[in-house]
Amino acid sequence: MNRGERRALWHYRLRGYRIVGVNVRAGRNELDLIVRRGRVLLFVEVKERRGSGFGGALAAVDREKRRRVRRAAHAWLAR
């Protein structure tokens, strides 16, 4: 687990989420975090940026990355 994932984990934990999984392999992909609070289940992709030289974190999660996260989430839910 890298620094960004640890920070995201604490972010969700402090807001009442239970950590279901960290760096979970699902199919051929990986889910950085799986968290749950009540009936809400979140699949979290973590992108850490130390500066703006490579763009923001949102720009790093392109259409292909979102597709991979969805595919991994479906694989995890199907097991």
Side-chain angles (χ1 to χ4, degrees):
M1 178 183 319
N2 65 37
R3 184 179 78 151
E5 291 167 342
R6 279 192 302 276
R7 290 183 71 182
L9 184 140
W10 279 106
H11 170 85
Y12 285 104
R13 188 173 279 165
L14 290 172
R15 284 156 181 79
Y17 286 85
R18 182 174 63 88
I19 307 306
V20 176
V22 177
N23 295 329
V24 176
R25 295 296 300 174
R28 295 178 149 185
N29 299 298
E30 180 185 71
L31 296 163
D32 292 335
L33 293 175
I34 304 171
V35 297
R36 181 179 190 156
R37 184 172 66 187
R39 296 181 62 177
V40 174
L41 183 66
L42 300 177
F43 299 93
V44 181
E45 174 65 23
V46 178
K47 294 294 184 188
E48 178 183 23
R49 295 290 189 250
R50 293 179 189 221
S52 61
F54 293 102
L58 275 179
V61 183
D62 60 4
R63 177 180 289 169
E64 175 62 21
K65 186 60 179 179
R66 289 190 304 268
R67 186 181 68 77
R68 288 180 184 174
V69 170
R70 274 194 307 275
R71 187 180 334 150
H74 287 143
W76 186 84
L77 288 168
R79 63 169 176 87

